[in-house]
Amino acid sequence: MYWFAYLNIILSPSTLGIDHADPEEPHLHRRSRPRPRPGRQPRAKLVERLAEQKALLADASYVRRVQRWTGKGDERRQVEKQQRVRPWWRVDASGGLVMSVYHGTRPIEFE
């Protein structure tokens, strides 16, 4: 058993004499913020990029709009820039479409 398992036993509600959850009392066994789940942010980014590919398919002149900061000191301001979206698909020799899904700059392989 690891040391943090002992800590969970020591700080459990039953050990501390807490019989029910009172919303007015702070809970020692709960974190104030939820712990980030691994993989959630990359998954959301991939979904966002797939939506961009769908928009690019509908409109060939689609560009991504991003907010950037420019300037220094008092002249610092936020500007909107346009980023070109590259298509993840291409036409093969037989005339069909081949699509590669990317995570960053690496293509994802599917089995």
Side-chain angles (χ1 to χ4, degrees):
M1 196 181 261
Y2 295 105
W3 65 271
F4 53 84
Y6 289 115
L7 189 61
N8 285 339
I9 292 170
I10 293 170
L11 295 178
S12 70
S14 61
T15 307
L16 294 173
I18 301 172
D19 294 330
H20 64 286
D22 186 9
E24 300 298 321
E25 298 257 341
H27 297 287
L28 296 176
H29 62 282
R30 290 190 186 154
R31 297 172 57 97
S32 59
R33 291 187 321 192
R35 190 177 304 174
R37 294 176 62 187
R40 180 163 288 181
Q41 187 176 6
R43 238 179 266 133
K45 186 176 181 180
L46 179 62
V47 169
E48 182 182 316
R49 297 297 188 242
L50 284 170
E52 288 177 352
Q53 291 298 311
K54 186 177 177 182
L56 185 63
L57 185 61
D59 179 19
S61 63
Y62 174 79
V63 290
R64 178 186 315 132
R65 298 187 190 317
V66 294
Q67 299 288 328
R68 298 283 185 233
W69 288 94
T70 185
K72 292 193 177 199
D74 292 338
E75 299 193 14
R76 189 162 170 83
R77 58 187 161 76
Q78 199 171 21
V79 296
E80 183 178 275
K81 290 193 172 191
Q82 295 181 348
Q83 288 183 343
R84 182 177 67 110
V85 178
R86 291 182 25 200
W88 289 357
W89 68 86
R90 59 184 167 78
V91 179
D92 65 356
S94 64
L97 287 177
V98 177
M99 184 171 182
S100 299
V101 178
Y102 288 88
H103 183 266
T105 57
R106 296 180 306 157
I108 299 175
E109 293 184 19
F110 294 99
E111 295 178 4

